[in-house]
């Protein structure tokens, strides 16, 4: 496979998915193109056999491919990832006029690394919910798709200690600027949204904007960088990289075992929501696939989840932040993540299985464990395992600058991840229980 072509497609998927709504919209489109049928949770699904997907809240998606036979004989091979990334969200009454500038007040979503948000060309995107001219409430996705705002740094002359001491106050220091002078005073934010909807959705007659979930994102396009093109730089690599590579592996694997891909929203804020991993989305889909409690228990025991989320690659300038023996390096393959306190769901059996998959797919594999004196991150892995009882391994490719507005990963790791996930989705044997 041509690695630069592989990455070009991935980067285009990520660039065109500025919010979880857009991620799910894009994934749905790719699934429809491949002949998958859209199911709705409110409908009767009847007997299922074939290729389907279902979404919840427009921000979480489950795709699955089964036959009535393979689902009960072999269990389901699942991959999980998350659709959300840390960002700045616009508040409900956001308009601020200060010194003649129009600003929008924002709230920090997730663990944003705030420094890199300064001096970026920011666009605005998300879901807007409106009343149409028939008085029906409906939602549409918008993306201004151009730099409509920025958060300027304070000059070093006005803060000589900036390089040693500058902290960032989330209420006062990161309010984006959109306009200056006269227009700022009379600005109608809802009208501005309505005009954007009219530009993007010409056939939807909007009466009024009622509410929205909008966030800012960086307009800088993703790029392949480094003297030898070793790196990928982009927003939202955590975790759209895993979503789109997971989807591609899912679509391109052989159809033998039953398989499922789940991408949840709200991982970055703890997963507690109807569409997050602590919600019952996966559980209810599995229940409907299994048919009865007895069948569900058997299906669960035969199934497996690879929870796929990027991990921290060791940074040469800050190498003491890693445990030296568990410090993944970019372009040396995905890492198996282990934590004794179950911040990662990996156990010796699921870890061993993933290691073997890598061996069979000829993909290098590494290990990640946090320093014992530092807090360890987490993923949807342990949460999903706790809710469903499914055997789970947490893995992910290493990256720099997690939760920055521009993250970096290795340009060869993307294909390594694809190869091992594709092999897993096609693998017919190893989930079977030993006699
Ligand atoms: Co993540």
């Amino acid at each position: 496979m041509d690695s630069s072509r592989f990455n070009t497609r991935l980067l285009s998927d990520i660039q065109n998915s500025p919010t979880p709504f857009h991620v799910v919209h894009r994934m749905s489109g790719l699934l429809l193109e491949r002949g998958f049928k859209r199911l709705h949770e409110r409908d009767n699904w009847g007997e299922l056999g074939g290729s389907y997907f279902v979404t919840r809240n427009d921000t979480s998606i489950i795709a699955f491919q089964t036959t009535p036979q393979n689902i009960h004989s072999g269990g389901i091979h699942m991959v999980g990832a998350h659709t959300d990334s840390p960002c700045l969200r616009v508040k409900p009454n956001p308009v601020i006029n200060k010194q003649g500038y129009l600003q929008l007040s924002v709230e920090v979503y997730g663990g944003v690394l705030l420094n890199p948000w300064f001096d970026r060309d920011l666009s605005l995107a998300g879901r807007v919910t409106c009343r149409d001219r028939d008085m029906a409430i409906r939602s549409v996705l918008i993306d201004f798709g151009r730099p409509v705002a920025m958060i300027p740094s304070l000059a070093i002359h006005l803060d000589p200690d900036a390089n040693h001491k500058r902290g960032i106050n989330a209420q006062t220091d990161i309010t984006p600027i959109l306009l200056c002078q006269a227009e700022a005073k009379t600005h109608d934010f809802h009208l501005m949204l309505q005009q954007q909807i009219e530009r993007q959705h010409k056939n939807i007659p909007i009466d009024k904007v009622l509410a929205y979930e909008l966030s800012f994102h960086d307009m800088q396009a993703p790029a392949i960088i480094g003297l030898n093109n070793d790196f990928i730089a982009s927003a939202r690599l955590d975790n759209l990289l895993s979503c789109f590579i997971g989807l591609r592996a899912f679509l391109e694997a052989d159809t033998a075992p039953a398989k499922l891909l789940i991408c949840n929203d709200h991982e970055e804020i703890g997963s507690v929501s109807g569409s997050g991993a602590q919600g019952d989305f996966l559980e209810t889909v599995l229940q409907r696939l299994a048919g009865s409690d007895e069948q569900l228990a058997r299906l669960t025991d035969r199934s497996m989840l690879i929870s796929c989320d990027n991990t921290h690659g060791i940074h040469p300038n800050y190498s003491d932040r890693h445990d030296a023996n568990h410090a993944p390096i970019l372009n040396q393959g995905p890492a198996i993540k282990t934590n004794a306190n179950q911040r990662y769901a990996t156990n010796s059996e699921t870890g061993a299985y993933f290691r073997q998959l890598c061996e069979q797919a000829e993909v290098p594999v590494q290990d990640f464990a946090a320093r014992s004196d530092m807090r360890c991150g987490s993923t949807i892995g342990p949460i999903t395992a706790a809710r469903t009882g499914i055997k789970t391994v947490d893995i992910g490719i290493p990256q720099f600058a997690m939760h920055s507005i521009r993250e970096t990963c290795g340009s060869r790791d993307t294909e390594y991840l694809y190869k091992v996930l594709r092999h897993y989705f096609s693998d017919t044997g190893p989930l079977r229980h030993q006699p």
Side-chain angles (χ1 to χ4, degrees):
M1 191 183 293
D2 176 343
S3 123
S4 82
R5 263 182 50 202
F6 181 89
N7 286 326
T8 304
R9 202 168 117 186
L10 171 69
L11 295 186
S12 154
D13 284 333
I14 296 176
Q15 187 179 8
N16 288 292
S17 303
T19 74
F21 302 104
H22 291 85
V23 177
V24 166
H25 180 74
R26 191 171 182 90
M27 292 179 96
S28 301
L30 293 168
L31 288 159
L32 286 169
E33 259 172 36
R34 299 290 288 248
F36 277 67
K37 293 192 199 85
R38 185 194 291 272
L39 297 171
H40 296 281
E41 290 192 279
R42 60 179 169 270
D43 294 338
N44 181 357
W45 290 2
E47 175 139 3
L48 295 172
S51 309
Y52 306 92
F53 72 97
V54 55
T55 67
R56 192 181 271 194
N57 184 43
D58 304 329
T59 55
S60 292
I61 185 165
I62 293 177
F64 56 91
Q65 201 166 43
T66 64
T67 64
Q69 295 76 38
N70 71 8
I71 188 162
H72 292 301
S73 57
I76 308 181
H77 294 224
M78 308 182 201
V79 165
H82 65 88
T83 60
D84 60 324
S85 302
C87 62
L88 303 182
R89 286 273 177 110
V90 182
K91 286 184 175 174
N93 298 316
V95 173
I96 297 171
N97 275 298
K98 232 173 152 183
Q99 273 79 41
Y101 297 98
L102 170 77
Q103 297 178 277
L104 293 181
S105 66
V106 290
E107 196 171 0
V108 176
Y109 175 88
V112 176
L113 196 56
L114 288 173
N115 258 311
W117 278 75
F118 289 91
D119 309 321
R120 295 275 172 173
D121 305 343
L122 302 177
S123 183
L124 189 60
R127 177 169 72 176
V128 184
T129 303
C130 320
R131 188 167 63 209
D132 67 18
R133 300 215 182 109
D134 300 323
M135 302 301 279
I137 288 183
R138 58 197 295 172
S139 294
V140 291
L141 304 193
I142 62 166
D143 179 6
F144 282 81
R146 65 191 179 90
V148 294
M150 41 108 194
I151 309 168
S153 297
L154 179 63
I156 195 158
H157 316 75
L158 306 181
D159 183 6
D161 289 332
N163 288 335
H164 317 288
K165 287 191 196 156
R166 185 180 292 175
I168 301 167
N169 182 300
Q171 174 68 19
T172 56
D173 296 349
I174 52 165
T175 314
I177 299 175
L178 280 84
L179 268 179
C180 67
Q181 297 168 345
E183 242 192 287
K185 283 206 177 71
T186 53
H187 187 78
D188 181 340
F189 183 60
H190 280 201
L191 183 64
M192 171 184 131
L193 297 180
Q194 189 164 337
Q195 288 164 347
Q196 182 61 26
I197 294 168
E198 282 159 7
R199 275 193 287 274
Q200 284 188 251
H201 306 275
K202 292 199 169 51
N203 306 324
I204 302 178
I206 300 301
D207 175 50
K208 198 175 182 192
V209 168
L210 298 175
Y212 53 78
E213 291 166 77
L214 295 169
S215 54
F216 284 100
H217 64 93
D218 188 11
M219 279 304 294
Q220 187 177 2
I224 296 175
I225 61 172
L227 191 56
N228 289 331
N229 296 327
D230 285 331
F231 308 107
I232 289 173
S234 172
R236 304 180 297 283
L237 290 175
D238 171 17
N239 189 22
L240 301 196
L241 181 148
S242 305
C243 289
F244 285 108
I245 291 181
L247 178 63
R248 191 155 166 190
F250 173 86
L251 288 173
E252 293 174 3
D254 303 332
T255 48
K259 53 183 187 268
L260 180 149
L261 176 76
I262 174 162
C263 297
N264 279 117
D265 192 12
H266 294 147
E267 191 272 345
E268 299 293 358
I269 52 165
S271 297
V272 186
S273 77
S275 49
Q278 298 227 32
D280 64 354
F281 188 29
L282 177 60
E283 240 173 311
T284 55
V285 168
L286 291 177
Q287 255 157 14
R288 294 170 85 161
L289 280 174
S292 69
D293 287 351
E294 171 74 14
Q295 294 283 28
L296 177 63
R298 297 178 65 189
L299 178 64
T300 298
D301 191 46
R302 289 186 172 127
S303 298
M304 161 127 189
L305 172 73
I306 296 183
S307 159
C308 192
D309 198 351
N310 293 354
T311 190
H312 304 291
I314 189 166
H315 187 317
N317 300 354
Y318 303 95
S319 52
D320 63 335
R321 300 304 167 102
H322 275 75
D323 177 314
N325 287 355
H326 305 89
I329 294 172
L330 272 57
N331 284 323
Q332 295 197 11
I336 299 171
K337 306 184 210 176
T338 312
N339 179 256
N341 297 297
Q342 290 296 301
R343 303 283 293 165
Y344 301 126
T346 310
N347 64 30
S348 68
E349 291 191 333
T350 60
Y353 173 57
F354 186 78
R355 202 174 294 281
Q356 180 172 289
L357 284 175
C358 287
E359 230 174 78
Q360 290 165 345
E362 294 176 347
V363 164
V365 62
Q366 317 183 66
D367 282 287
F368 176 79
R371 276 184 66 108
S372 304
D373 54 2
M374 275 176 79
R375 210 181 72 90
C376 180
S378 192
T379 70
I380 62 161
I383 296 166
T384 309
R387 275 218 68 125
T388 61
I390 294 166
K391 293 184 260 301
T392 301
V393 61
D394 271 298
I395 62 110
I397 70 166
Q399 67 161 91
F400 294 140
M402 193 174 282
H403 294 189
S404 169
I405 196 168
R406 199 160 175 90
E407 303 175 321
T408 312
C409 70
S411 58
R412 293 187 289 284
D413 283 333
T414 49
E415 227 175 309
Y416 287 143
L417 182 65
Y418 166 80
K419 274 172 78 178
V420 69
L421 293 184
R422 187 184 151 152
H423 174 58
Y424 162 67
F425 276 134
S426 319
D427 188 31
T428 46
L431 298 190
R432 258 184 238 127
H433 243 269
Q434 303 300 318

